[in-house]
Amino acid sequence: MAQQVQGVIARTKGEPVRIETIVVPDPGPGEAVVRIQACGVCHTDLHYREGGINDDFPFLLGHEAAGVVESVGEGVTEVAVGDFVILNWRAVCGQCRACLRGRPQYCFDTHNAKQKMTLTDGTELSPALGIGAFAEKTLVAAGQCTKVDPEASPAAAGLLGCGVMAGIGAAINTGNVGRGDSVAVIGCGGVGNAAVVGARLAGAARIIAVDIDDKKLETAKGLGATHTVNSRSADPVEAIRELTGGNGADVVIEAVGRPETYEQAFYARDLAGTVVLVGVPTPEMKIELPLLDVFGRGGALKSSWYGDCLPSRDFPMLIDLYRQGRLDLDAFVTETIALEDVEKAFERMHHGDVLRSVVMF
Ligand code: APR
Ligand code: ZN
Ligand code: ZN
């Protein structure tokens, strides 16, 4: 039977979000209903509210979540009722060319739930990133659920569903950071700091954190950065070169999404190094590079979409590291809040005071 629960809705462009009653249908074939326990507040939720992603209002926001499977539809084999799961944006097939090449986020055959959640008047909702987890319950494709160790804290586990996975994956999956590498991370918000953690997990010898905010650099140090550079007071490209014996970093991760930092990342790498772009630019942004500089540099220029994660491989592995005390996911949870406080959390995000606010149910 369809159920009515509370959810955070963005009705029209730029308007503050509101709590409204939503209708969650029973799961159809291949679908699951998940009782949400925790959901982080991510920039992308704000982008949806501002109409920056698409115009498919009203949105049910929230997409960085963990919870317990409450019911499953016909033919579901991925998960069972009672499983503790982390949700991901789209179910990937694991078998197409993109998946087999280790870039599952470019999968040719992804799918989300076919049925729709609605408002009580029948208006169909667009769930943020195919999830919609600022709600007591949500309907997803079963393939969007990855079972992990139920002993993990829901707040910490949920973070792997988006920003923290994007950062860790940018270092480990996209950047292929190796033991002894030197890594520079430009922009140390939630995503960049997760990239610092990823670089450390991968055994990087040198991790240079770059930001314009000393508070963020302090956090980066606590998470494993060996050097910090405030790019308001020093040229980051020069500083990174100096700290790497004049060569540049083996892997440079850009986690801001601005033209000047893209350019810094391009020039701060070793001639055979890799640049990983994880910061998302806006449509009007451009950079201009001398072609000879592009030609003269080997290595790779890669963008990282969702940390190139394969949820079934990466979520349980990272939760194991967390449970062993080798991955401090709790450090990313600045505060836990109630469902009513999402709008306030958006404001705090603007001031740069939080790595993550997490809604607890
Ligand atoms: N140079 C260095 N750091 C900068 C600069 C700059 N010119 N401008 C901003 N920053 C820093 C900020 O001080 C902040 O610490 O970049 C960081 C951005 O962090 P957040 O705003 O917390 O954003 P985050 O959630 O980490 O996402 C970063 O990745 O996934 C994308 O869409 C996301 O583009 C965004 C980026
Ligand atoms: Zn997100
Ligand atoms: Zn695939």
Side-chain angles (χ1 to χ4, degrees):
M1 222 178 41
Q3 310 181 59
Q4 299 203 347
V5 299
Q6 301 298 103
V8 174
I9 305 295
R11 280 261 188 181
T12 44
K13 198 170 173 150
E15 289 266 301
V17 297
R18 294 199 302 224
I19 306 265
E20 297 196 41
T21 303
I22 66 168
V23 180
V24 181
D26 275 346
E31 295 174 347
V33 168
V34 177
R35 183 166 54 76
I36 303 298
Q37 293 177 309
C39 182
V41 182
C42 172
H43 269 95
T44 306
D45 293 307
L46 185 56
H47 287 170
Y48 272 110
R49 194 201 76 174
E50 288 170 347
I53 310 260
N54 61 51
D55 283 328
D56 300 338
F57 288 94
F59 293 108
L60 170 60
L61 299 183
H63 62 273
E64 202 174 81
V68 174
V69 176
E70 186 187 77
S71 54
V72 295
E74 213 184 294
V76 169
T77 51
E78 293 91 336
V79 283
V81 172
D83 283 351
F84 177 59
V85 295
I86 299 175
L87 301 182
N88 73 77
W89 305 347
R90 296 164 309 162
V92 299
C93 80
Q95 287 163 12
C96 70
R97 255 161 68 83
C99 283
L100 293 175
R101 277 177 161 172
R103 306 217 64 184
Q105 292 309 319
Y106 300 88
C107 176
F108 302 157
D109 187 22
T110 60
H111 58 275
N112 291 338
K114 291 210 171 54
Q115 295 185 89
K116 290 281 189 181
M117 292 180 276
T118 63
L119 293 170
T120 47
D121 66 1
T123 309
E124 288 190 352
L125 293 168
S126 307
L129 286 170
I131 295 181
F134 286 147
E136 293 155 2
K137 292 174 188 181
T138 195
L139 172 80
V140 290
Q144 289 177 266
C145 303
T146 304
K147 186 178 173 179
V148 295
D149 184 343
E151 297 294 315
S153 111
L159 297 186
L160 290 179
C162 186
V164 171
M165 185 67 246
I168 293 180
I172 294 182
N173 296 332
T174 318
N176 280 317
V177 170
R179 197 156 286 284
D181 278 357
S182 52
V183 177
V185 178
I186 303 178
C188 294
V191 174
N193 265 318
V196 167
V197 167
R200 206 205 60 222
L201 283 174
R206 217 164 266 262
I207 304 171
I208 305 162
V210 180
D211 204 291
I212 49 175
D213 179 345
D214 284 329
K215 278 195 312 264
K216 298 292 169 71
L217 293 173
E218 273 312 303
T219 309
K221 251 192 185 161
L223 291 169
T226 55
H227 301 80
T228 60
V229 176
N230 187 321
S231 52
R232 282 238 161 92
S233 46
D235 176 349
V237 176
E238 286 306 312
I240 292 165
R241 284 234 182 88
E242 241 165 65
L243 290 165
T244 52
N247 299 316
D250 297 307
V251 181
V252 183
I253 297 164
E254 197 280 354
V256 184
R258 295 198 51 79
E260 61 272 25
T261 45
Y262 264 59
E263 203 168 318
Q264 288 160 6
F266 180 81
Y267 285 107
R269 79 174 190 272
D270 178 270
L271 286 183
T274 302
V275 177
V276 178
L277 305 168
V278 58
V280 182
T282 56
E284 73 286 357
M285 289 178 181
K286 289 197 168 98
I287 59 169
E288 204 176 331
L289 293 169
L291 270 186
L292 197 57
D293 287 357
V294 179
F295 180 74
R297 283 169 164 70
L301 192 56
K302 296 170 100 174
S303 61
S304 185
W305 181 238
Y306 205 174
D308 279 311
C309 73
L310 181 58
S312 55
R313 173 194 66 196
D314 295 337
F315 292 173
M317 181 264 289
L318 292 169
I319 287 293
D320 276 352
L321 291 173
Y322 167 68
R323 294 275 296 139
Q324 292 164 17
R326 294 159 70 191
L327 167 59
D328 186 4
L329 292 175
D330 297 320
F332 289 86
V333 183
T334 315
E335 57 172 7
T336 54
I337 61 172
L339 195 61
E340 293 74 36
D341 297 329
V342 169
E343 189 61 40
K344 270 189 238 151
F346 284 151
E347 280 162 34
R348 247 170 264 145
M349 203 156 74
H350 265 315
H351 294 120
D353 295 334
V354 288
L355 280 184
R356 272 296 185 268
S357 306
V358 178
V359 173
M360 299 299 295
F361 291 85

